[in-house]
Amino acid sequence: MTIAGLLSLSPVRLIRQLGLLALCLALLLSLTGCWNRRELDTLGIVLGLGIDKTESSYRVSVQVVDPGQVSVSRPASPGHSPVVLFRSEADTLFEALRKMTEVSPRKIYISHIRVLILGEALAREGVGKALDFLSRDSEMRTDFFLFVAKHATAESILKVFTPLSNIPAYKMYDALLTSSRAWAPSATVTLDRFIDEIVGTGIDPVLTSIEVVGDQKEGENPRNVSRISADTFIRTNGLAVFRKDRLVGYLNEEESIGYNYIRDRVRSTVTSIPCESEGRIAFENVHSKTKVKSKLLDGEPVIEVKMNSQVNLGEVLCKYPTSVPANIKKLERSLEKHRIELMESAVKRAREYRVDIFGFGHVFYHEHPGYWKKIQKDWDRRFQTLQIDYKADIQILKVGTVFDPFYKDVKE
Amino acid sequence: MTAASGTDPATDNQPIKGTLQDQLKFIRTTLGDSSDLIVREMILSTGARCAVAYIEGITDSLLLYHTVISALLDLPNADSAGELSKLEPEPFVRYLSDRVLAAGDVRPLDDWNTLFFYLLSGNAILLVDGSPTALRIGVIGFEERAVSEPVSQSVTRGSMDAFNENIETGMSLLRRKIRDTRLRFDRLQVGRVTKTALAVVYLKGIAKDEIVAEVHRRLAEIDIDGILEGGYVEELIQDRTYTPFPTVFNSERPDTIAGGILEGKVAILVNGTPFVLLVPALFVEFFQAAEDYSQRFDISTLIRFIRYLSFFITTLAPALYVAISTFHQEMLPTNLLINLAAQREGVPFPAVIEAMAMEVTYEILREAGIRMPRTVGQAVSIVGTLVIGQAAVQAGIVSAAMVIIVSITAIASYVIPAGSMSMSARMLRFLFMILAASFGLLGVVIGLIGLALHLSGLRSFGVPYMSPLSPIILSDQKDTLFRAPWSLMKLRPRLVASDNNQRRET
């Protein structure tokens, strides 16, 4: 109803209409979901959140950015860290975060966390309960990555100064994103995916593990980043394997890449295989597609892993004549063998931990629901002896700007 | 031309009578012996006494001399004028009108009301002793502004003439563009005291008869002492007074007005202003510039989208900034959030106060820029940009992001070709800022819904304001959001033009 409309009404109707309008506006107040006005300068923007477990309670540490220190217009005052770490302990995460206002002048605002780090102790005990708060909160963005602090507490990871990026949480986020795109032994797991895999049928989750390399004390000092070569740094290191929400072990780099090949999560990576003689040949993976299918052979479960991949030849460290088409074919075959070995190594390790992180059970659940119903309880045992047929089909697309290695004909 | 509408209390619509001296005395006393009233009394060679009355300054005295005074004084002298001198005064007046006066526009009149109206419009009045009929001679001539470039609606390509304050010049500009027998100019006067001349212009058979009749009806209903500008008329004839949106289009460009007339619209020229009104007005028209039709259609289409985008920016940008930065921080990318938070470090006001203050400051600067003498323009712009923009940010009173928002808002408001629409956007901006500050994006969305409802309910001379978008008329989409090539635009707008809506033979 517009002002004009109101003015044209008779007084009685006008009052009634105004009353209705007021009622509607009052009702609006009850419709307000996230409903608190807060100015940007009253927020302590958390970029990294760490959760550890003490004997009886949760220890939460948050890396809060100090906007004044990262401002473009005003230079940061030297000696001040761009981020501040607050920690508190309480029985629940929610309490712990609110309790932080005892030390923090600003309200802890966790919608924008980039990384969530789970301490190893907590992870071994089970992280499920600790994640309830984060999955329940309506103001969370869900685009942050989860890490497991390998042999460390989450707090110690969040305390280390990092070179190149002055906000450590950013550094971890960016490093994981880049390495998963270009190197592949890591997994960009968001909260949604992690919970999906915890509760999913016939699948167990993995997270990327992160660790402090070097002296912890040195890393907590700003001097650490004032040198060209930082003594202490944070790095991702393979995958951490979970049984449901409990950490059971780690995969090394190769196994992690193998895992990512099976899960079809490889964007690009570099692998090398040995030459016929001494030396190695390296390939860049430009595209790979893996299909996992299940079938029943005489009642026995069989998984088929079919990989199709295109690679470029990147580096040759032996006198192997790469200009000969037949040789390229040979290389393709041995690369295929290598890929299968990678995947097998991942499966072998997973069998040691007795967890099906590849979701083979999930494939049966989808494709043979009747069968899955029967053997569901027995899957862990069957996973150990499951027949897995690997097939790899790899094409070498380009050999680069030279045919044979230029030192092939050099007389020594 | 119709007779004067309002009755002057001094003359009271009395017929002209009495002797010449009585008549002249009446004229003089009615005008209070005004010093610009010139009465030239003559005794013609036939012996008849007559007088020419005119107002100095609005009458072309040279033309008057050649066409009237010298013609009268050169009448054949008494001996050969034997026949003439025997004529009664009234036939003699007709003889003068038919045979003597060398002016183009000579007409008889016989009541005081009409006489004064024409006298005060710049006509010369010829009174002959003993005759109850006077003659008015159209020798109007006064200083006027030349036809010059449009000031408020400039183009880089297109005709560069604009209307001026003279209604006859305006009519001539339109006549020069549309040389068709169906072009109609209906003259009338409005305003009890000012008796302002108006002209209703349309193409007979192409404009809807009902709309033309409605324009006439609404103009006839106007009862006001003075019309000094088209805005008076616009406000008095629009469909609904309480709306922030203009429902009457105005332009000082003859090509825009002629384009509208060709679509079947009705133009209203008002004497004394270069701005010509055009009805019915549709919302989308305010985003169309004359240049759209002189440029290639694809470029025009792109530019139209920029205009619509600018309308949203100028209405919503500060509101969205306030809403997102105080209610929905999780919507921002993290880097941007930290950047904005860094800028807001130490700013003493809440974002909404900051936004309000900057917007009001800009409106003050803008208003000052329009009113101030040109000579101090530079000083004011230095104060405006340096003091308010740079110094305020450096002093930490406002954040740099807010200055950017206010600047883009200000610039975007000038992209809308029609000034009246950008005024509406400016006004709505504050409403949206209040909504955003109290309810966040929820408030903005509710405001937008209310706005859509209001717009859909508006009408301009019976035509839905949002047409052809709501109600949607597919055939009219060719010149709405897009501008189709002329080869495809075969029909005139459906709701505006009459049934005769073929633009060309197909």
Side-chain angles (χ1 to χ4, degrees), chain A residues 273-274 283 329-339 341:
Chain A
I273 56 170
F283 299 91
K329 287 280 167 224
K330 251 193 256 173
L331 281 177
E332 286 177 351
R333 295 297 85 75
S334 43
L335 191 59
E336 283 164 6
K337 216 175 113 234
H338 174 76
R339 282 279 169 87
E341 280 164 14

Side-chain angles (χ1 to χ4, degrees), chain A residues 38-39 106 112 141 170, chain B residues 326 329-330 332 335 345 351:
Chain A
R38 49 210 169 178
E39 294 295 331
R106 299 181 176 193
H112 269 276
R141 288 167 72 97
Y170 262 176
Chain B
T326 54
Q329 290 95 349
E330 59 275 359
L332 292 168
N335 282 330
E345 282 295 299

